[in-house]
């Protein structure tokens, strides 16, 4: 007998559907659903419950909801390495629920990312469909429920439905249903585990029936075992757009947005502009941004370069991070922005939110497209003009790529300290791009920029790492030729993987002159700040809140920080 009919017989108050509706959100991996032959038509009128299912249909008193505990119940996932594959690494995204195998496909000699989730029997799959369908009717929240934990409400509604059906499920079946309902209603459906995997930077879907591709922090570009059918993919695309607070349709099939947790989304719907079907790319960002100490640990900068940024930012020097795609420009910009003094007024301007500061006096502004046909769009140029009227001490622009660059450099020339990023492979290329269409920044305005840091994604052996290639100062215009003069302050040696100070810095000279410091005083100040950064690294103080708090305290009461160098955690709380 079909599960739906059994439920209807035991719960006559539920209206029987004339046709089973399979919802795309319930789509599972093929290996997650076991095959069972349908019952013969002659059995469909019988009320006898199979002996094997009898324990599942015992009526019981309603009790508190029990949630999954991997230590008590063990894993819900039954994973195995497929034939022709070699296991390289495995790890849990959610312990007991979603397991990752990094494997080597011996046929193609390529690495693959295999996701394993709890497998459902036919009975569990049909019941999941029925619960999912019925939850649409009961998930209408009252005012009191709106402020409650949505996960708890979802499980309570599910438990109520099981009670209405007159079912008592075994623990394993119950926990599997809980997992998929939470994944589909509160998570991101089939890509939920990928969104939760901290090892992933990018998730890329190229179209219907094509495996998802990922950028893994350790294994780089890697193929997955996740493939979407057309209707399922379209449903996911609409969900991604709606949760981003945006609208997508065949009339407006392209979308750039930010997901609620901060990841950047680029989405196309259907085959209007992407002939292989709906596509999306999700660029994931950590919930907590990288701090300067983490970049020091990863080798992106050395301690002398971070001291240089610290003193430069504190003394209102403007800078731009340049580099190619995924070279770490925004990550570095966000990290060094933690050096901004406390209570200084900061305005950030972005297309999609990526900057995260531990700073109270901060206006975070983002662009907005026109909401209606003929409506007014708010672009970066509009936000930058507005920022100039807000008397900011620091202006952070996520990326300059258009005519807003002129206003940005006007801000520099009028005394505002600005930070930004730009796509360019070298200092010469950056200057050429600034002076050309569509940026059109006059050369005499470019000299207001103080520092350019060139970022790169390079190979170290077989590993790809992010390194600062050089840090360059703009030293003004050559009066004879009219060309910009530059000074290399830090250079990278790829042979020895070392970042070294050239021994000459116009910025240091200007800071010393402005502050009235002698050469010895300047060297003493650099040495003190180097000691603070090295102590933070040695004591494992990495999270951006603790790091920013220590920088703020150093600015307010530096002696307290220096007196506690051996235990900085005590003063970072």
């Amino acid at each position: 007998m079909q599960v739906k009919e059994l439920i209807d017989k035991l719960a006559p108050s539920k209206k029987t559907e004339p046709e089973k509706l399979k919802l795309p959100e319930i789509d599972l991996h093929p290996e997650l659903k076991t095959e069972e032959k349908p019952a013969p038509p002659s059995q469909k009128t019988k009320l006898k419950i199979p002996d094997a299912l009898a324990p599942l249909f015992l009526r019981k008193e309603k009790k508190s909801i029990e949630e999954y505990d991997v230590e008590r119940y063990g894993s819900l996932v039954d994973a195995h390495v497929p034939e022709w594959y070699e296991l390289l690494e495995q790890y849990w995204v959610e312990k007991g629920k979603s397991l990752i195998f990094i494997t080597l496909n011996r046929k193609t000699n390529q690495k693959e990312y295999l996701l394993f989730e709890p497998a459902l029997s036919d009975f569990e799959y049909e019941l999941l469909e029925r619960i999912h369908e019925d939850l649409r009717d009961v998930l209408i929240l009252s005012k009191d429920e709106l402020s409650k934990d949505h996960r708890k409400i979802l499980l309570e509604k599910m438990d109520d439905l099981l009670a209405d059906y007159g079912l008592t499920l075994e623990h394993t079946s119950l926990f599997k249903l809980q997992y998929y309902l939470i994944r589909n209603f509160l998570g991101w459906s089939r890509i939920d585990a990928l969104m939760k995997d901290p090892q992933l930077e990018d998730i890329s879907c190229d179209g219907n029936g094509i495996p998802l591709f990922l950028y893994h922090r350790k294994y780089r570009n890697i193929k997955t075992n996740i493939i979407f059918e057309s209707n399922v993919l379209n449903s996911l695309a609409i969900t991604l757009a709606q949760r981003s607070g945006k609208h997508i349709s065949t009339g407006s099939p392209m979308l750039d947005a930010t997901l609620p947790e901060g990841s950047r989304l680029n989405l196309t719907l259907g085959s209007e502009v992407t002939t292989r079907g709906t596509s999306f790319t999700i660029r994931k960002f950590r919930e907590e941004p990288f701090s300067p100490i983490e970049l020091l640990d990863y080798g992106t900068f050395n301690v002398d370069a971070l001291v240089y940024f610290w003193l430069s930012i504190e003394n209102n020097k403007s800078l731009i991070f340049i580099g190619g795609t995924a070279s770490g420009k925004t990550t570095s910009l966000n990290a060094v922005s933690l050096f901004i003094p406390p209570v200084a007024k900061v305005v950030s301007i972005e297309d999609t939110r990526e900057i995260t500061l531990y700073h109270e006096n901060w206006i975070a502004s983002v662009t907005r497209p026109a909401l209606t046909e003929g409506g007014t769009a708010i672009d970066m140029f509009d936000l930058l003009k507005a920022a100039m009227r807000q008397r900011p001490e620091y202006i952070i622009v996520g990326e300059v790529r258009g005519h807003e660059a002129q206003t940005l450099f006007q801000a520099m020339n009028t005394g505002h300290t600005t930070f930004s990023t730009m796509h360019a492979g070298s200092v010469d290329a950056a200057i050429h791009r600034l002076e050309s269409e569509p940026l059109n920044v006059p050369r005499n305005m470019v000299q207001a920029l103080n520092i350019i840091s060139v970022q790169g994604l390079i190979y170290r052996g077989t590993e790809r790492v992010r390194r600062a290639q050089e840090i360059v100062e703009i030293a003004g215009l050559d009066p004879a030729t009219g060309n910009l003069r530059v000074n290399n302050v830090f250079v990278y040696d790829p042979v020895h993987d070392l970042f070294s100070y050239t021994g000459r810095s116009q910025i240091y000279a200007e800071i010393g002159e402005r502050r009235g410091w002698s050469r010895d005083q300047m060297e003493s100040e650099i040495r003190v700040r180097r000691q603070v950064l090295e102590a933070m690294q040695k004591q494992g103080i990495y999270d951006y809140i603790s790091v920013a708090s220590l920088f703020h305290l150093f600015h307010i009461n530096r002696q307290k920080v220096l007196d506690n160098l051996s235990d900085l955690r005590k003063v970072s709380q």
Side-chain angles (χ1 to χ4, degrees):
M1 178 177 291
Q2 294 294 306
V3 173
K4 177 176 284 201
E5 293 186 352
L6 290 175
I7 294 172
D8 290 335
K9 296 288 185 182
L10 292 171
S13 61
K14 302 299 292 182
K15 184 178 178 180
T16 304
E17 301 276 341
E19 182 182 353
K20 181 173 70 176
L21 174 64
K22 292 197 173 182
L23 300 171
E25 292 89 338
I26 303 298
D27 181 65
L28 305 171
H29 292 283
E31 65 268 20
L32 297 184
K33 182 176 178 295
T34 59
E35 298 253 342
E36 287 183 12
K37 293 182 180 180
S42 59
Q43 294 182 3
K44 291 188 178 180
T45 57
K46 296 180 181 179
L47 291 176
K48 180 175 175 57
I49 298 171
D51 293 338
L53 300 181
L56 305 178
F57 287 82
L58 297 176
R59 293 185 179 272
K60 63 170 184 176
E61 295 294 326
K62 186 176 178 181
K63 61 178 183 179
S64 59
I65 299 170
E66 186 172 10
E67 292 198 50
Y68 174 64
D69 181 358
V70 65
E71 302 298 334
R72 181 176 178 185
Y73 296 106
S75 172
L76 300 177
V77 178
D78 183 17
H80 63 280
V81 181
E83 190 179 0
W84 301 108
Y85 284 77
E86 176 187 340
L87 181 63
L88 302 178
E89 183 183 347
Q90 69 179 63
Y91 58 90
W92 291 101
V93 175
E94 285 187 272
K95 197 170 182 182
K97 299 178 183 178
S98 48
L99 176 65
I100 305 303
F101 279 2
I102 305 294
T103 61
L104 177 66
N105 185 330
R106 289 196 292 268
K107 286 187 175 181
T108 62
N109 202 34
Q110 291 186 333
K111 298 182 180 69
E112 295 188 16
Y113 178 105
L114 307 182
L115 168 64
F116 294 94
E117 297 177 293
L120 298 177
S121 67
D122 272 2
F123 165 74
E124 292 164 340
Y125 182 77
E126 297 252 359
L127 183 56
L128 177 62
E129 279 193 315
R130 176 60 184 265
I131 293 173
H132 189 279
E133 194 174 321
D134 289 344
L135 277 173
R136 292 173 181 265
D137 299 326
V138 298
L139 276 179
I140 301 173
L141 305 184
S142 64
K143 288 184 179 180
D144 294 335
E145 288 176 325
L146 285 173
S147 59
K148 291 183 180 179
D149 181 10
H150 289 182
R151 174 192 173 96
K152 183 178 179 182
I153 293 173
L154 181 62
L155 295 182
E156 286 175 352
K157 300 290 187 183
M158 169 189 160
D159 195 57
D160 290 341
L161 285 176
L162 290 175
D164 289 343
Y165 302 157
L167 301 183
T168 301
L169 297 179
E170 293 176 339
H171 286 114
T172 302
S173 296
L174 178 65
F175 298 145
K176 287 179 182 179
L177 296 181
Q178 288 179 350
Y179 170 76
Y180 282 111
L181 286 173
I182 291 170
R183 188 197 77 167
N184 294 333
F185 275 96
L186 304 179
W188 299 100
S189 190
R190 289 280 298 280
I191 64 169
D192 190 54
L194 308 184
M195 296 293 289
K196 293 177 179 176
D197 187 349
Q199 299 299 318
L200 302 183
E201 292 187 11
D202 285 13
I203 302 170
S204 178
C205 175
D206 301 330
N208 309 324
I210 304 169
L212 263 64
F213 286 83
L214 313 171
Y215 191 90
H216 196 281
R217 297 186 191 278
K218 183 176 180 181
Y219 298 99
R220 304 190 296 278
N221 291 305
I222 190 168
K223 183 170 74 172
T224 74
N225 61 338
I226 302 174
I227 299 175
F228 284 103
E229 296 78 17
S230 176
N231 62 329
V232 180
L233 185 54
N234 290 340
S235 176
L236 176 61
I238 292 169
T239 299
L240 289 170
Q242 288 175 343
R243 293 199 186 178
S244 304
K246 300 290 182 69
H247 170 74
I248 193 166
S249 65
T250 53
S252 179
M254 293 186 66
L255 174 67
D256 274 310
T258 302
L259 295 173
E261 82 287 352
S263 298
R264 183 193 292 175
L265 170 69
N266 178 269
L267 178 64
T268 64
L269 182 65
S271 56
E272 301 292 324
V273 290
T274 46
T275 56
R276 302 172 84 186
T278 295
S279 68
F280 64 81
T281 299
I282 297 173
R283 294 192 62 187
K284 293 178 59 184
F285 295 97
R286 302 198 319 175
E287 291 183 12
E288 292 193 355
F290 283 94
S291 68
I293 310 304
E294 284 181 285
L295 297 187
L296 179 60
D297 239 20
Y298 285 123
T300 303
F301 300 104
N302 67 0
V303 66
D304 291 319
L306 290 179
V307 170
Y308 176 79
F309 282 127
W310 191 353
L311 276 166
S312 300
I313 289 170
E314 191 176 282
N315 287 275
N316 301 101
K317 302 301 179 183
S318 295
L319 58 93
I320 285 183
F321 288 93
I322 67 172
T325 301
S327 59
K329 302 183 297 296
T330 304
T331 296
S332 298
L333 172 65
N334 203 116
V336 302
S337 296
L338 299 183
F339 291 127
I340 293 175
V343 307
K345 184 164 185 178
V346 181
V347 177
S348 65
I349 298 165
E350 301 172 88
D351 280 328
T352 54
R353 272 292 307 276
E354 295 175 18
I355 301 297
T356 303
L357 302 179
Y358 185 64
H359 200 91
E360 287 186 320
N361 194 8
W362 168 39
I363 298 174
S365 55
V366 292
T367 60
R368 192 204 69 183
L371 298 180
T372 58
E373 186 176 350
T376 303
I378 300 174
D379 60 15
M380 295 185 74
F381 180 69
D382 297 323
L383 292 175
L384 195 51
K385 286 196 300 182
M388 297 286 286
R389 301 186 182 101
Q390 294 164 353
R391 199 179 175 273
E393 294 171 68
Y394 294 85
I395 300 174
I396 303 175
V397 178
E399 181 182 348
V400 289
R401 59 170 74 90
H403 63 296
E404 72 276 355
Q406 295 179 34
T407 306
L408 181 71
F409 277 83
Q410 284 176 354
M412 289 186 201
N413 280 270
T414 54
H416 294 84
T417 305
T418 67
F419 308 150
S420 188
T421 69
M422 188 172 70
H423 280 85
S426 65
V427 174
D428 287 341
I431 293 172
H432 180 71
R433 188 175 173 213
L434 284 170
E435 293 179 340
S436 305
E437 290 282 351
L439 280 68
N440 293 325
V441 180
R443 180 166 295 185
N444 63 341
M445 291 178 65
V446 175
Q447 65 178 329
L449 175 64
N450 302 115
I451 302 166
I452 299 177
S453 178
V454 184
Q455 309 291 115
L457 181 62
I458 65 171
Y459 277 100
R460 289 289 302 160
T462 59
E463 184 182 3
R464 294 186 82 181
V465 295
R466 292 177 173 90
R467 293 287 186 270
Q469 303 291 285
E470 59 179 340
I471 298 177
V472 175
E473 296 175 349
I474 304 296
L477 286 173
D478 188 323
T481 64
N483 294 328
L484 284 167
R485 293 186 292 115
V486 297
N487 173 41
N488 284 54
V489 188
F490 291 89
V491 293
Y492 176 68
D493 177 7
V495 177
H496 301 98
D497 193 28
L498 292 175
F499 203 56
S500 56
Y501 177 49
T502 60
R504 57 187 183 275
S505 168
Q506 180 175 308
I507 297 294
Y508 275 163
E510 290 176 1
I511 292 172
E513 184 179 349
R514 180 188 296 181
R515 304 285 288 265
W517 290 341
S518 65
R519 184 182 182 89
D520 289 342
Q521 286 176 307
M522 188 71 191
E523 290 178 352
S524 174
E525 185 68 22
I526 293 171
R527 185 169 56 253
V528 165
R529 294 179 189 237
R530 185 190 295 118
Q531 289 173 351
V532 173
L533 292 173
E534 288 173 341
M536 293 167 73
Q537 184 186 25
K538 185 178 180 181
Q539 296 169 36
I541 301 174
Y542 296 118
D543 69 282
Y544 82 109
I545 293 178
S546 298
V547 169
S549 297
L550 280 168
F551 293 152
H552 291 172
L553 182 61
F554 184 88
H555 187 85
I556 296 167
N557 187 355
R558 62 186 291 155
Q559 195 58 46
K560 186 175 181 179
V561 174
L562 298 178
D563 290 343
N564 291 278
L565 276 181
S566 59
D567 188 10
L568 288 173
R569 289 192 180 278
K570 185 169 63 177
V571 295
S572 68
Q573 303 300 324

